[in-house]
Amino acid sequence: MELKDDLDSISEIFLQLLFLSTNPKQEWMNWRITSHKVKEMVDKIFLKQIGNECKSLQIFFTIPHLFTSLNLSNNGIGVEGGKKIGVELKRNNLLTSLNLSSNGIGKEGLREIANGLQHNNSLTSLHLGNNKIGVEGSKEIANALKRNNCLTSLYLSSNGIGVEGSREIANALEQNKCLTSLHLRNNRIGNHGARILGNALKQNNKLSSLILNYNEIGEEGGKEIANSLIENNCITKLDLSMNEIGEEGGKEITNTLKQKKLPIKC
């Protein structure tokens, strides 16, 4: 069987993976499929067992017309799947958007993904929300951000990174020159984490969107963020909704944002 025939025979399966996150008992583009089936297909690809002729996952990452965007959110990929994706990111220069949210990747799987990012020159958007990466995982992704010159949007919501994780991300922001959008929703960074990120914003001249809602940030943390914006000329969108900044903190933030004519959400 020739390569073209091999691609034709597997294209239908792959396109289901390409556009589908979890849709149990629902139709998607005339295909009825469950999350278990998606995981089954992902496993087959990772194990290099699709058909008798397709020998490597690399085929999916090196043929341009197959895809530039891949959404595998909420499909139970797990630690091992995360590791394998990380390996492929090192040699892939086609994929621009990758969504791996809610996959139980954990800090071990994240380590390989972060390592892959350090060698990747195409990915601009990466979703890693709700993957239990914790502080250790945030350290890995922060190290990648210090070296990566391509990623512009990073989603790390609901990962339990806490204060120490926010410190790692903040250190990376002081060095990173390409990230423009950072989502840290629901990570319990608190006042201390807000202060740390605020200091980083004073040094960063690239980030334009920062999402910090549901982070237990109080009045002092809100004021720290507001003060950082006085020196920062890049932030155009800031989300501090569902925090505990109080009336005084809210006034200070609002006044600062109005002066800079930024969208207000607090």
Side-chain angles (χ1 to χ4, degrees):
M1 183 182 293
E2 295 182 358
L3 178 60
K4 180 181 181 301
D5 296 327
D6 185 34
L7 289 177
D8 288 342
S9 68
I10 63 177
S11 61
E12 181 178 353
I13 290 178
F14 192 72
L15 285 175
Q16 292 180 50
L17 290 173
L18 187 61
F19 299 113
L20 193 66
S21 57
T22 302
N23 282 279
K25 300 180 180 179
Q26 296 178 12
E27 283 195 6
W28 181 269
M29 296 177 70
N30 298 321
W31 293 311
R32 187 172 292 277
I33 194 162
T34 65
S35 59
H36 174 73
K37 185 64 176 177
V38 172
K39 183 179 185 300
E40 208 172 78
M41 289 190 292
V42 171
D43 287 343
K44 285 181 180 179
I45 290 177
F46 286 148
L47 293 173
K48 305 171 185 179
Q49 292 177 350
I50 290 187
N52 296 321
E53 304 298 325
C54 183
K55 302 300 182 183
S56 173
L57 177 60
Q58 185 179 7
I59 193 172
F60 297 107
F61 286 84
T62 54
I63 299 185
H65 70 267
L66 282 181
F67 69 94
T68 57
S69 178
L70 179 59
N71 185 344
L72 289 175
S73 61
N74 200 21
N75 273 305
I77 289 172
V79 175
E80 293 306 313
K83 288 180 179 179
K84 292 180 172 92
I85 287 177
V87 170
E88 291 303 327
L89 284 177
K90 293 179 183 179
R91 52 194 176 195
N92 173 267
N93 287 304
L94 300 171
L95 197 66
T96 59
S97 177
L98 178 60
N99 190 336
L100 297 173
S101 300
S102 303
N103 269 301
I105 290 171
K107 61 183 181 182
E108 296 299 327
L110 195 279
R111 180 176 291 117
E112 286 299 329
I113 290 174
N115 192 16
L117 278 179
Q118 296 185 36
H119 302 273
N120 184 277
N121 295 311
S122 65
L123 200 67
T124 59
S125 177
L126 177 60
H127 292 247
L128 289 169
N130 194 28
N131 270 298
K132 302 178 181 179
I133 70 172
V135 176
E136 292 303 314
S138 66
K139 288 181 181 178
E140 299 293 342
I141 202 70
N143 287 334
L145 288 176
K146 293 175 184 178
R147 297 171 175 80
N148 180 278
N149 295 310
C150 189
L151 196 69
T152 59
S153 297
L154 178 61
Y155 299 76
L156 292 175
S157 303
S158 303
N159 268 303
I161 69 173
V163 175
E164 291 307 312
S166 66
R167 188 190 307 279
E168 297 293 337
I169 298 298
N171 288 338
L173 287 178
E174 293 182 7
Q175 299 181 42
N176 183 275
K177 303 300 181 184
C178 58
L179 197 69
T180 59
S181 180
L182 177 61
H183 292 241
L184 292 175
R185 180 184 189 272
N186 189 30
N187 271 296
R188 297 184 177 181
I189 69 172
N191 283 334
H192 196 181
R195 184 179 303 114
I196 293 169
L197 286 171
N199 288 334
L201 289 180
K202 296 176 183 178
Q203 307 297 323
N204 181 281
N205 60 2
K206 191 67 177 179
L207 196 70
S208 60
S209 176
L210 179 60
I211 309 302
L212 294 174
N213 55 331
Y214 290 95
N215 264 299
E216 302 175 6
I217 298 172
E219 181 177 320
E220 292 306 313
K223 288 181 178 180
E224 291 290 344
I225 294 291
N227 289 336
S228 72
L229 294 180
I230 296 174
E231 299 181 37
N232 181 289
N233 294 314
C234 293
I235 292 289
T236 58
K237 179 180 180 181
L238 175 64
D239 189 346
L240 287 168
S241 59
M242 306 311 293
N243 280 295
E244 302 164 2
I245 60 177
E247 185 176 350
E248 291 304 314
K251 285 180 180 178
E252 188 159 341
I253 293 170
T254 301
N255 289 336
T256 302
L257 296 183
K258 281 182 177 178
Q259 290 174 23
K260 297 179 74 67
K261 298 181 180 179
L262 302 182
I264 301 170
K265 196 171 185 180
C266 51

